[in-house]
Every structure is written in C-alpha cells, then in structure tokens.
Amino acid sequence: MTDETRKPNDETPQPDAAETADAAAEADTAPAQAAATDPAADLEAENAKLKDQLLRTLAEMENLRRRTDKQIKDTSQYAISNFARDILTVGDNLRRALDTVTEEARSGADPIFTGLLDGVEMTERDMLKALEKNGIARVDPAGDRFDPNLHQAMFEVPDPSVAAGTVVQVVQAGYKIGDRVLRPALVGVAKGGPKPAKPEAAGDEAPEGVDKTV
C-alpha cells in the first residue's frame, strides 16, 4: 500500500467553526454570571427588601393605633347618647311645668309656691350644667337659618319681613353631643320674605344643608 493511499486516514480532525464560536461565547458570559451571583449584591437587595417591609409594617401599626384611639374616644364620648336622650325628656317636662306659670301668677303666689318654682328652675339649671359637662350642648336656633341637619321644621310662618328659611319660633330646643345631633330642634320657619343673603366672600361656605326652605 502506498503513502498516498494512507494519507486521508492519518489527518487529524479539525474542530467545527460553530463549536468554536459556542465555546468562545461561554467563556465571555462566565464573568457576567459570576457578577450576577455576587453575595454582597444579594445581601444588599435582601436588606433593602426587609427595610421596605419594616417601614410598611410600622406605617400600618401607626394607622391602626390612630384608628383605635379614635374608636376609644368616640365610644367614650357617645356611649351616653341613649341615657342623655332620656334625661332630655325629664328636662322637657321641667320646662313645660315652668312655662305653665305666668308672670302674674308668680308675682301673686304665696312663698311656698314661689319656693317650689325656684326649686324646679334650680333643678333645670343643674341638669343643663351636668349635660354640658358631659359634652352635650343645647341648640336654640331662634333667628338662625333653617338647617335640616340640626332642625326639624314643624310649621311655616308667613312673614315677609324676615328672610325665607329663617327660624322664627323654637317649639323644642335641640341638643348636640360632640359633633353629632342628639336631638334636632323643633322649629317654625318663616316664608314669604326675601331670599337668604349669600355669603359675601367666595371662600365663605354656607353651613351644610342650609338654604332649604320648608
């Protein structure tokens, strides 16, 4: 057998061009993969995540504390609402008893009757002071503009000399406890007069619910 016949079997196989390119690409990406898995960077990212979670938790706890404080305050302030309404009925009866006595009858009454009237008046004053001490305020809206949030209209009074919607008679005083209406005032409202004047300044806002004529 000649040398020319054996030559093809003696040649060493050459690497394929595609394999060479893949190997070079793997060699180039190896440093990038190592950088992406840097322990220090992972710790910093985890630390930032935990810090964000902590701040969110603290904010939620602060909001919860404020809501709880408000609920406790409201419960303490408005817990006596039902009891206060019952006491108002007693006060109404005291006032009705006093209103039945005219000035003429009082001036000509004997000392015993006069002392009884003074005692009833003193009882009414003490009751009102006790209510005020507990955050319950009397609402006597005579001369004010009708507000359906605070007043309950019982009748209309034709009076062209008074602005329409003005409270001209208070049948029964109202009461508020804190910012809430404990009992609306029963009132008579004027009609037939001029329209209520609007606030002069643009920034002045009329109380909610007014400007409504019954």
Side-chain angles (χ1 to χ4, degrees):
M1 184 178 291
T2 62
D3 294 339
E4 293 178 356
T5 304
R6 294 194 302 268
K7 186 174 181 179
N9 296 330
D10 294 339
E11 290 181 353
T12 303
Q14 299 297 323
D16 185 80
E19 295 178 354
T20 303
D22 292 341
E26 291 178 358
D28 293 339
T29 57
Q33 293 177 351
T37 57
D38 183 8
D42 292 343
L43 289 175
E44 290 180 358
E46 184 68 17
N47 182 55
K49 181 180 178 181
L50 293 175
K51 183 178 180 180
D52 180 69
Q53 292 177 348
L54 176 62
L55 293 176
R56 290 177 182 272
T57 302
L58 292 176
E60 291 176 359
M61 293 298 295
E62 179 63 18
N63 291 335
L64 177 61
R65 184 190 65 80
R66 291 177 180 177
R67 289 196 299 268
T68 302
D69 290 344
K70 185 178 185 302
Q71 290 175 353
I72 293 175
K73 181 180 178 181
D74 289 347
T75 301
S76 175
Q77 184 174 18
Y78 302 118
I80 63 171
S81 295
N82 292 333
F83 174 74
R85 291 189 184 96
D86 294 337
I87 294 298
L88 294 182
T89 302
V90 177
D92 293 337
N93 291 332
L94 293 175
R95 175 42 49 187
R96 292 189 185 98
L98 293 171
D99 290 341
T100 58
V101 182
T102 63
E103 290 297 330
E104 293 79 5
R106 182 186 292 264
S107 61
D110 59 72
I112 296 179
F113 184 68
T114 303
L116 176 62
L117 292 177
D118 292 340
V120 174
E121 290 177 341
M122 184 180 299
T123 302
E124 183 188 38
R125 288 195 299 269
D126 289 343
M127 187 201 70
L128 294 176
K129 289 180 181 178
L131 292 175
E132 185 176 357
K133 183 179 179 181
N134 287 275
I136 301 172
R138 182 184 176 95
V139 178
D140 192 352
D144 296 341
R145 294 164 66 180
F146 177 74
D147 183 349
N149 298 308
L150 300 175
H151 315 142
Q152 181 177 342
M154 303 300 294
F155 51 85
E156 292 179 323
V157 179
D159 190 345
S161 64
V162 180
T166 301
V167 175
V168 293
Q169 184 175 346
V170 178
V171 179
Q172 185 181 79
Y175 287 87
K176 292 177 61 178
I177 179 170
D179 296 329
R180 301 180 184 179
V181 176
L182 185 62
R183 187 182 74 181
L186 305 182
V187 301
V189 184
K191 74 171 184 177
K195 293 183 178 180
K198 296 182 179 180
E200 296 180 359
D204 294 339
E205 297 182 357
E208 182 182 358
V210 298
D211 294 337
K212 292 183 179 181
T213 304
V214 180

